[in-house]
Amino acid sequence: MLGQQRIFSGIRPSGDLHIGNYLGAIRQWLKLQDDHPAESGIVFGIMDLHAITTPHEPEKLREATLETSLIYLAAGLDPKRTTLMVQSWVPAHAELAWVLGTMTPLGELERMTQFKEKSRALGDKHGIMSGLLAYPVLMAADILLYHTDAVPVGEDQVQHVELARSIAERFNNRYGKTFAVPAVMVQKETARIMSLDDPAKKMSKSGESERGYILLTDSPDAISEKVKTAVTDSGKEIIYDPVNKPALSNLLVVFSEFSGRPVKELERDYAGKSYVEFKAGLAEAVIAGLAPLQSKFRELERGRAGVLDILHAGSERAAAVAGQTLAAVKEKIGFLAA
Ligand code: AQP
């Protein structure tokens, strides 16, 4: 029953946002905002507690938190229709995560693909902290606090939403119905935008090379340059074939999403043309597609105080709902009322 669903999602401010975050998450959120009445309860967070689960610099985190909120607004999220909040401003997230962590078997967390990938990447250099392992428990708390029905995410987060479902079911079975069991919501076509310099890896903020991602704030020149150097596959044909032409297929998806033209139509238009011509068209589409967001972003950057007001108001609204859920949880697990 669309139109009545409670929605929650968020992004961790671990760096500048890229077109994978935009196509996989934010664009889905905009559609949901349009399809739902304001009172249905849509919450989008800036997940700073999650950002400190990997190495970070304090000043950069503060800056990225503000920048992420500017991107939310510049992309078109409307604080009158959705609740925009900062995770660390609503202490119920950390409190509920502690409770849920006491009911989540270690083995379930160790099985998480993102934990395995990120701990491999951090390796011996930084060490692996328990917060990284507990990340999905905190994410479950984020989701369950708002009685969320659906969580719109990219593919890499699906496993975490599934874990949130089992944590909710476990709690409900033990203590009686307390949480809604959230459904995962994925936009199939854009669920996994791949890196421009390695189509086997997803585009990522913490990707090794800057050439792998296009930032939402990249200049037209930077976008053209990154598209120009994006890897392609052998052969000359411009066709969508994810198995044999993974790099080109990824570029076709990005092209289609930014131009609004179906992949089939692009294949027809570029039949017999070169990769150089194709890439020129792609760069143009991405530049034009991001232009409205970028100009709004520059305008918002000049009035940062207003943005803080929006975040304070949103976080206060979020805290009221989250506080009620947490109070019910505390009562059920047997904490003495304060
Ligand atoms: N490449 C992607 N394609 C589609 N969706 C993506 N998302 C991330 N990368 C892609 C989706 O964006 C939302 C926010 O993600 P996040 O920042 O909270 O965490 P992440 O998934 O770990 O994103 P990054 O960019 O890879 O960040 P780092 O490098 O810091 O870990 C989520 O809905 C995610 O699925």
Side-chain angles (χ1 to χ4, degrees):
M1 182 179 43
L2 207 70
Q4 287 301 326
Q5 285 177 309
R6 282 159 303 201
I7 309 284
F8 179 90
S9 198
I11 294 183
R12 58 185 214 125
S14 50
D16 296 328
L17 302 196
H18 52 75
I19 58 171
N21 299 129
Y22 181 66
L23 298 177
I26 297 177
R27 275 245 307 238
Q28 252 202 104
W29 303 355
L30 293 169
K31 281 192 212 119
L32 291 165
Q33 169 181 270
D34 289 342
D35 290 346
H36 287 68
E39 62 278 9
S40 61
I42 306 185
V43 182
F44 295 125
I46 298 145
M47 315 311 285
D48 51 356
L49 297 180
H50 284 280
I52 60 169
T53 58
T54 45
H56 75 285
E57 288 170 36
E59 263 329 302
K60 281 197 181 150
L61 174 59
R62 247 185 294 277
E63 187 59 26
T65 303
L66 209 48
E67 287 225 348
T68 303
S69 60
L70 294 176
I71 293 280
Y72 281 11
L73 294 167
L77 291 177
D78 175 0
K80 292 202 186 72
R81 289 186 283 162
T82 60
T83 295
L84 305 181
M85 50 85 69
V86 178
Q87 186 187 26
S88 66
W89 293 1
V90 181
H93 288 249
E95 266 193 84
L96 181 61
W98 176 261
V99 173
L100 300 180
T102 63
M103 308 177 54
T104 308
L106 192 56
E108 288 187 14
L109 297 176
E110 285 168 338
R111 266 202 303 280
M112 293 291 114
T113 308
Q114 198 177 69
F115 171 69
K116 288 196 225 162
E117 283 174 4
K118 285 207 157 52
S119 42
R120 238 192 328 264
L122 291 170
D124 300 333
K125 195 164 160 224
H126 297 283
I128 299 151
M129 303 299 149
S130 62
L132 184 66
L133 182 71
Y135 179 115
V137 179
L138 177 59
M139 183 162 154
D142 303 334
I143 296 166
L144 301 183
L145 277 173
Y146 301 100
H147 303 293
T148 302
D149 297 307
V151 189
V153 285
E155 198 178 82
D156 61 321
Q157 294 295 337
V158 169
Q159 198 184 28
H160 291 164
V161 181
E162 279 163 2
L163 183 72
R165 286 173 62 85
S166 30
I167 291 176
E169 277 162 356
R170 194 172 300 130
F171 192 99
N172 288 346
N173 285 338
R174 177 148 178 210
Y175 296 109
K177 175 98 174 89
T178 309
F179 297 124
V181 179
V184 65
M185 195 181 251
V186 173
Q187 188 78 45
K188 206 170 114 265
E189 302 77 14
T190 54
R192 198 169 171 81
I193 302 295
M194 308 311 281
S195 162
L196 298 184
D197 61 0
D198 183 355
K201 285 193 191 145
K202 90 171 177 122
M203 189 176 284
S204 181
K205 285 186 228 102
S206 45
E208 280 145 36
S209 144
E210 283 184 11
R211 298 214 174 265
Y213 50 72
I214 295 177
L215 298 180
L216 298 181
T217 48
D218 268 344
S219 68
D221 283 351
I223 295 172
S224 294
E225 197 48 39
K226 287 179 180 180
V227 170
K228 216 180 275 172
T229 54
V231 300
T232 42
D233 311 281
S234 54
K236 286 189 180 144
E237 251 186 313
I238 313 264
I239 46 163
Y240 181 78
D241 177 357
V243 176
N244 299 307
K245 286 179 169 272
L248 185 63
S249 301
N250 185 47
L251 296 181
L252 270 164
V253 169
V254 172
F255 199 162
S256 167
E257 291 298 321
F258 278 106
S259 63
R261 293 159 65 195
V263 167
K264 283 271 159 240
E265 187 183 314
L266 294 171
E267 283 177 337
R268 267 198 311 275
D269 283 3
Y270 285 94
K273 294 193 178 145
S274 67
Y275 279 164
V276 174
E277 287 166 287
F278 171 76
K279 283 181 165 182
L282 167 60
E284 208 176 292
V286 176
I287 291 165
L290 289 179
L293 182 154
Q294 294 193 343
S295 101
K296 187 82 195 154
F297 180 82
R298 284 192 291 271
E299 184 189 315
L300 287 166
E301 258 195 320
R302 293 193 285 273
R304 287 179 166 217
V307 176
L308 282 175
D309 289 344
I310 289 170
L311 295 177
H312 280 125
S315 301
E316 228 169 81
R317 274 206 306 279
V321 178
Q324 276 183 14
T325 312
L326 185 65
V329 167
K330 285 181 172 174
E331 207 264 320
K332 291 198 178 190
I333 58 178
F335 286 173
L336 186 64

